Amino acid sequence: MSRIDENAEFVAIRIAVLTVSDTRGLDQDRSGDTLAGRISDAGHVLADRKILPDERDEIAAQLRNWCDDPDIDVVISTGGTGLTGRDVTVEAHRDVYE
């Protein structure tokens, strides 16, 4: 049974998408493309989208910028979760958690 109140007014939210990758550009970012498409298909707004290398300070800075931006309601990130020593996405997110 769904807990969604079908009588509630739909409110579109503004979502930023961050892809973390040392090897991908916008033309090869399939996961980012999928997220952007689903956001739009659901009636929400893709407020911003970026691809950053797996650099802890850069990721954390971008997350902070979006968190401080009153025009962004949600941030979704993808990528950067491999098993090598360069994969610091999780640590960068922890730097920003409150």
Side-chain angles (χ1 to χ4, degrees), residues 26-44:
L26 276 176
D27 56 328
Q28 304 122 348
D29 183 19
R30 292 187 319 209
S31 60
D33 289 342
T34 297
L35 289 167
R38 290 185 179 187
I39 288 165
S40 297
D41 290 349
H44 299 292

Side-chain angles (χ1 to χ4, degrees), residues 14-18 47-50 52 56-75 92-93 95-98:
R14 298 177 50 81
I15 303 171
V17 173
L18 173 63
D48 201 358
R49 180 176 172 189
K50 299 227 185 299
L52 292 178
R56 186 173 182 166
D57 291 341
E58 287 183 52
I59 297 165
Q62 183 60 63
L63 293 171
R64 285 188 185 97
N65 287 339
W66 280 337
C67 288
D68 290 340
D69 186 337
D71 292 327
I72 295 179
D73 301 309
V74 174
V75 175
H93 279 76
D95 291 347
V96 179
Y97 291 165
E98 291 182 10

